[in-house]
Amino acid sequence: MDQHPMDPRHPVSPAPRRPRTTVRVLAVAAVVAVAAATLGTGVYLNRESPTWQRILGTEPIIEVPPQATDELPVLLDSVDYMLEHAATSTGAKTTAALQGARSMLAGHVELLTPGALEAAAASAGAAAGTDAPPSAVPPLTPAEFSSRLAGAGNGLLHEALTAPEQEARRLSGAGFELVLQARTVLSAAGAPQAAIDALPTPAMELASQATAPSSEASPASASSTGAPAAGPTVDKAAAAKMPGFTFSACPAPDPADSKATGSTDSGQLLGEVIDAAYRMGYAYDVAGARTSAGLRTAAWNRSEVLVVFADALEKQLDAAHDCKPLRQPAYQLPADAISNPMDAARSGEAQLALLLRDAAASQAGEPRAYLFNAAWAQGLQARQVTGKVPDFTAVAGAPKPADGSPPAG
């Protein structure tokens, strides 16, 4: 019987089996690793979502930037505190100027920050019921208060440069009044003219804003070291740097027609500026012929500056829409032009400042800054020659109260 040959290969022994527990642990570890990787990838991809920022504790803290109007209630409290301490005032003139500033601030707080006065009164009432010791903080000096008041005004004007039209009108009107009132307070306190001119001035800040719109500097923290920059209604060199304006249409022949329809378009507002400058230039020209030699040159120089400004602005209007000439062959002079020709001509200075402010709000960018600069210089001019601060919160051409503005120092 044949025998089968033996297989020359060595028999393979079976591999020892691993314990079942080790296999299970490895399987669980693999599942956990896959889940962790999936979760980590998901978290990484969604790390910017608000939900995961809250879970991870990386949610950013949103800080609301301060607004220029926030300073108004603080300044109102400051002037109240100053008036409570007689030592703050150096005399009746300073006290009157501080009272004027308080009245002005109260009006602007109510206009720009509605409800702030009620909230402050409620807070004061709650504090009165506690046993907290009285504050030992000394009141501000007139110089410190004037500097902060002018800085707050500059802050309002800085916001007005980019605000919507109606808001820009409110902010700029309040800003101009605050800076002018700061000069009145400092003058009433007996400060020299150099200290008054060293207050922050809108003209300097608006000029820098127009040339460098991306500047991060705060206008409230800057101050000029000399006289403020001249505006085009008081300086022919400034009129020569006039930017291009936007004219929506030709102005109405009679400004009363546009007011009746509520029209506030840029063409109408700039047309009223041109007409007012021409009218005042004519009044000064007539006043120069009816006054003494000393005032004659000043009147004719003022007339020339106003006419040059109006003419440059009217040329832009004509190029845009080919409108009818705004300058009339003759204008009706103010009522007292015969007996007081210079005072009659000067009576239009404040109105021109208001018209420039309104026209500025209808523009944007450099043209708005240019007209704000013009309104500021015009406000200073009106204050200097009339002794009163223009009421920038009033409607241009509206009757003013006899004692509505504090005297200029």
Side-chain angles (χ1 to χ4, degrees):
M1 184 175 180
D2 295 335
Q3 296 183 352
H4 294 287
M6 295 182 63
D7 189 352
R9 293 175 299 176
H10 297 288
V12 179
S13 60
R17 293 184 178 181
R18 294 182 180 180
R20 291 179 179 271
T21 302
T22 303
V23 175
R24 290 173 180 173
V25 168
L26 292 176
V28 170
V31 172
V32 171
V34 171
T38 303
L39 178 62
T41 303
V43 171
Y44 178 78
L45 295 176
N46 296 278
R47 65 189 183 281
E48 300 296 336
S49 66
T51 301
W52 277 107
Q53 285 182 342
R54 286 194 296 269
I55 295 173
L56 299 173
T58 59
E59 186 177 9
I61 299 175
I62 301 175
E63 297 183 0
V64 179
Q67 296 182 339
T69 52
D70 297 341
E71 184 71 6
L72 300 183
V74 179
L75 286 172
L76 183 58
D77 290 339
S78 297
V79 73
D80 282 336
Y81 192 41
M82 293 170 70
L83 290 170
E84 290 175 3
H85 294 74
T88 302
S89 175
T90 57
K93 193 175 183 180
T94 306
T95 300
L98 290 174
Q99 289 173 341
R102 194 222 173 273
S103 177
M104 178 182 292
L105 280 168
H108 291 318
V109 167
E110 189 64 29
L111 176 67
L112 300 175
T113 57
L117 292 178
E118 291 79 359
S123 177
T130 65
D131 297 330
S135 174
V137 178
L140 298 175
T141 65
E144 292 171 337
F145 176 73
S146 297
S147 180
R148 290 185 58 179
L149 191 65
N154 278 307
L156 294 175
L157 286 162
H158 180 74
E159 289 191 1
L161 285 172
T162 54
E165 181 174 343
Q166 189 60 33
E167 185 68 11
R169 192 171 286 114
R170 288 196 294 265
L171 290 170
S172 60
F176 286 134
E177 288 196 348
L178 262 59
V179 181
L180 287 168
Q181 186 65 24
R183 297 172 72 90
T184 298
V185 171
L186 200 55
S187 175
Q193 189 62 41
I196 297 174
D197 289 338
L199 287 172
T201 54
M204 298 289 286
E205 299 306 329
L206 292 170
S208 65
Q209 178 73 12
T211 56
S214 60
S215 174
E216 298 284 337
S218 171
S221 63
S223 63
S224 66
T225 56
T233 61
V234 298
D235 180 65
K236 287 190 292 185
K241 301 176 182 178
M242 182 179 291
F245 294 103
T246 299
F247 298 88
S248 56
C250 291
D254 185 2
D257 295 341
S258 64
K259 289 182 173 60
T261 59
S263 175
T264 58
D265 59 85
S266 56
Q268 182 64 41
L269 293 171
L270 287 167
E272 292 181 15
V273 169
I274 297 169
D275 181 64
Y278 273 144
R279 287 177 183 272
M280 196 157 51
Y282 175 73
Y284 272 112
D285 185 56
V286 173
R290 296 180 178 178
T291 56
S292 60
L295 291 175
R296 181 177 298 126
T297 301
W300 284 344
N301 288 341
R302 183 77 181 119
S303 174
E304 183 182 4
V305 171
L306 289 166
V307 170
V308 166
F309 168 71
D311 181 65
L313 199 55
E314 188 178 29
K315 286 179 178 177
Q316 286 199 26
L317 177 61
D318 290 342
H321 295 288
D322 192 21
C323 304
K324 295 181 180 179
L326 291 175
R327 190 174 187 179
Q328 304 299 320
Y331 289 105
Q332 183 179 356
L333 292 171
D336 56 344
I338 297 177
S339 56
N340 299 296
M342 282 296 288
D343 290 342
R346 290 168 174 170
S347 65
E349 298 280 9
Q351 183 192 19
L352 181 56
L354 304 187
L355 291 171
L356 286 165
R357 187 279 312 267
D358 289 345
S362 71
Q363 303 294 310
E366 185 180 355
R368 178 180 286 190
Y370 181 88
L371 289 176
F372 273 159
N373 193 7
W376 161 248
Q378 184 60 38
L380 278 183
Q381 171 73 14
R383 180 180 182 271
Q384 178 182 351
V385 300
T386 66
K388 295 181 179 180
V389 175
D391 184 3
F392 278 98
T393 58
V395 178
K400 309 291 190 304
D403 56 348
S405 301

